[in-house]
Structure formats: structure tokens, C-alpha cells
Amino acid sequence: MKTLLVFDFDHTVVDDNSDTWVVKCTPEQDLPDWLKNTYQKGHWTEYMGRVLSYIGDQGIREDAIRTVMETMPYTAGMIDLLKFIGQNKERLDCIIISDSNTVFIDWILHAAGAQCAVDRVFTNPAHFDDRGYLDVQCFHSHSCAQCPVNLCKRKVLEDFLERQLMAGVQYQLTVYIGDGGNDLCPVKSLKTSDVAMPRKGYSLDRLISKLNAGDSRHLESRVVGWSSGLDILNEMNSLMKQSCL
């Protein structure tokens, strides 16, 4: 059986936030206060819709946005990790679950030649409309009270695993790699055979530490922190060797 690798994108695959990186394409490389002040907690995608509309109003079009997005830095060691995954597809499946959008992730993966490592991307759909404006929509609706209104990563992961099982694909284990608060919900769904890999010093790492410190609540999965893609690569090598024993 294969191993499933599940990645967050911002501050995990790449070492910044793609939704804030896009602001670098504006003349001021900043947004006006009136626009920043429209953000409401839990409604980031709706806010980004207004940001992208503002960028379009400035006359900034696809080529200029893409040029900026392709300069986004990958997290240290992550390109090597993605190459490793691409070279071991007979044993590894890889998906991304992200609150970014399809256009940004596609551009950034292709810029590094890393798209072959990734089997599926689950994120907010985006496209350029007839005006040349980038339009982004919410990924789905859900009933989870813990997650932003547009994306529950736990539901995405569980639905994917169910579809794979119906197609005859069962995974030996799932490795979840992320950094943010919205990664805690899917991490809670992991089984004892699975591995949660929070980025050290980031929100998910702190939340897991707090959760595991309590007597009444804990995670079933093993937890392995990481600082670079090479840490994850070492863990994957170890897991693959164990599965061969």
C-alpha cells in the first residue's frame, strides 16, 4: 500500500503567504487602509476577492501578477522533497489542501518544475474573467464550526480518502504536513498509524503542544516537527525503510 502525503501550501511548501505576496505587484506594494479594514475573521477568501478586484482596478493583469507570484520563495529543502516524491510515485501519493487558490498554486508549482509530484490540489477555484481580473471563489461549504467558512481541511481529507477507498486505493498511512491553525482540524482526524508534521515554531506546532499537554484530549497520531523540507525527507526515508522490513 502507498503512503499519502498531505501538504498545506502557504508557509509550508512556500515560505510565505501567497495571498499577501500578490500585493507586491501593486505600485505601492501595499493595500489602502480602507481595503484592509474590510477583512472579517473567518472570511479571508471573500476579502481576497476584494483585494484581487482592487488589483484589477489598478490595471494590473495576468502577466504582471504571474511574474510576481513566480518569485515566491520555497521553504528550504522543499523542492528537494518534492523531487523525491516525484521520483517515488509508485509508493507515494501527494495532495495539497490549501486556502490559497488554483491559479497561484499552479503557477508556483510550475515555476519550480514541481507539479509532477502533486496528484491533486484542493483549494479555492480561481480564473481570469473577461475583464482580465482574477476572480476567486470559496472551495466549498461545510458545517465545521472550527474552520473558515470556505474550507474545512478535515472534510476535504476525509472525502478524498473515502473516494480513494471506493476506487480500491487504501493507504498504509497518512502524513500531514502543515503550519497553521486551520491544519489542526484535519490533524485531529489522523489515526495511530499516521504522522502529523507541524512546522516548528508556527501555530500548528503550538496548538498541538497545547492539545497534547491536556489529560482529557490528545492526538492519536505520532507527531514529528520539522524546520525544513529535508527534515520531512529524512522522515519519509525512515518510514519507507520501515515499510520494507
Side-chain angles (χ1 to χ4, degrees), residues 9 27 70 93 120 154 164 173-174 188-189 201 217 228:
F9 191 71
E70 288 181 341
D93 279 353
R120 291 287 304 275
R154 177 176 186 155
Q164 289 292 86
L173 75 156
T174 296
K188 286 180 177 179
S189 73
R217 300 178 66 189
S228 78

Side-chain angles (χ1 to χ4, degrees), residues 67-82:
T67 297
V68 167
M69 296 310 297
E70 288 181 341
T71 67
M72 230 189 141
Y74 275 73
T75 301
M78 198 59 68
I79 292 178
D80 290 333
L81 173 60
L82 292 171

Side-chain angles (χ1 to χ4, degrees), residues 160-173:
F160 174 78
L161 291 172
E162 183 178 350
R163 288 193 302 270
Q164 289 292 86
L165 191 58
M166 291 177 65
V169 179
Q170 186 173 4
Y171 293 104
Q172 180 179 359
L173 75 156

Side-chain angles (χ1 to χ4, degrees), residues 39-69:
Y39 170 66
Q40 293 179 311
K41 187 176 180 180
H43 295 267
W44 178 261
T45 302
E46 294 91 334
Y47 168 72
M48 279 307 301
R50 294 188 291 274
V51 170
L52 295 171
S53 180
Y54 171 80
I55 288 173
D57 289 343
Q58 308 311 302
I60 302 165
R61 296 296 182 262
E62 181 174 349
D63 287 347
I65 299 173
R66 180 168 189 161
T67 297
V68 167
M69 296 310 297

